[in-house]
Amino acid sequence: MTRTAYITVSRRRACAVAMGALLAAMQLTAQDSRPTLSLDSCQAWAAEHHPTAKRYAIAAENGDASASNAAKGRLPQLTLAGQASIQSATTHVPFTLPGFEPPEVAKDQYRVYAEAVQPLTGLLTVRDNVRLAHANAATERSQIDVEMHALKVRVNALFFGILMLDEQARMAELMTEDLRVGIARADTAAAHGVMLRSAADALRAELMVAEQRLTEVRATRENYVSSLGLLVGRELEGDVALSRPTAWPTEPSGEIRRPELRLFEAQKASIDVNRRLLHDVNLPHISLFVQGGYGRPALNMLDNNFKPYAVGGLRLSWNIAGLYTLRKQKRQLELNARAVDVQHETFLLETKLTLNKHASEMEKLRRLMASDAEVIRLRERVKESTRNQLQFGTATANDYILHVNAENRARLGLAQHELQLLWEAYNYQMTLGE
């Protein structure tokens, strides 16, 4: 066969490969027309359906119940009691008078009574117990906020990971197209003795490796989609389409607003309340009381008849046993507060290091994108030159397709870097807590 016939056959095979690529592109376009899944909807679904979100209602109800129970300490404390006893001796009058015989007090005595006690200094303890219940509830809510923020980070990681895998799949598919073009050209050349068969076999082996890589990427994508579906509480198809998020709507403020900071503040508030509570419980207890009962004897010890009685007044008591450990308890609270401060400082340091890492990565990606633009410009010039050569017969269709794919790879590289920059920007904002 002449060289002209060889070139004609090569062009026909290249056209066939190009038509196959065009059909694949049309199929991808049809797939992209399906409804897409956005990052905002994933975040909303995760916040609504994840089991952690249910703890907000539990924590609120538990906090209200604890505060309500503590507030009950303001009410009078009611006591019902009864007593029956027998004594070895009783009170007696040690003398007698003419015409007067002192009564003999019975040794068996009975009493049933009710007592109401209204704390006075105890109201301080009640107040701080209520505050402690609210402080503990705030700590629990802040802890849930921390876990929900971690959930947002996981959703972001899976969502952007799927987008990155889509870009890798596009690169792998473009590479397989290039290899198929090369295989078609090598087969034609080998059939006419222009090239060794081993060259085509080498390209086929490389094509198999590329297809294996594409299979790995698709399998990883299905795993990511399945994990994302579990987090958002939705049944997602393995080939679900994701929409690329837009740039963050506002410029970063630079101020760290992470929920961990609110957790540290809530923990410090609980420690402060415990410190006041420790002071309250070691004060002398003053209370009003009233007691009414029925018994024998009543208030008159010389009267052996069952009678009602009542007594009321002011009561003072002081349990000084708490003073034995007061200093140690204060020291423990101080150490707890210092531990929270250290955790706060450590968290801020680690967060700033992470922010610096994201900022450096974003700067690197901006530089890569600037060079990507230059690479695209050069690839486009080469493609246009090859197109002109193709018109005059000095270049083959295979050459033009390879240069077209090279330009597409450059554009895909730019798109991948843009996606990485967007991901880093979202990571930066999430690290700030915005």
Side-chain angles (χ1 to χ4, degrees), residues 194-270:
V194 182
M195 184 180 295
L196 295 177
R197 179 67 63 182
S198 60
D201 292 339
L203 290 176
R204 286 189 175 87
E206 191 64 27
L207 176 61
M208 293 179 65
V209 173
E211 289 176 343
Q212 288 177 348
R213 172 59 182 161
L214 184 57
T215 300
E216 292 177 357
V217 170
R218 288 173 176 169
T220 303
R221 188 188 192 277
E222 290 180 358
N223 183 26
Y224 276 36
V225 170
S226 177
S227 299
L228 181 61
L230 291 175
L231 286 182
V232 303
R234 291 287 192 279
E235 289 289 341
L236 302 179
E237 298 294 335
D239 59 347
V240 63
L242 304 185
S243 61
R244 178 178 296 194
T246 58
W248 196 270
T250 58
E251 289 295 326
S253 62
E255 180 183 359
I256 300 176
R257 301 176 180 178
R258 291 279 292 276
E260 287 87 346
L261 299 181
R262 295 192 295 272
L263 175 60
F264 297 141
E265 292 176 358
Q267 290 174 341
K268 289 293 291 291
S270 295

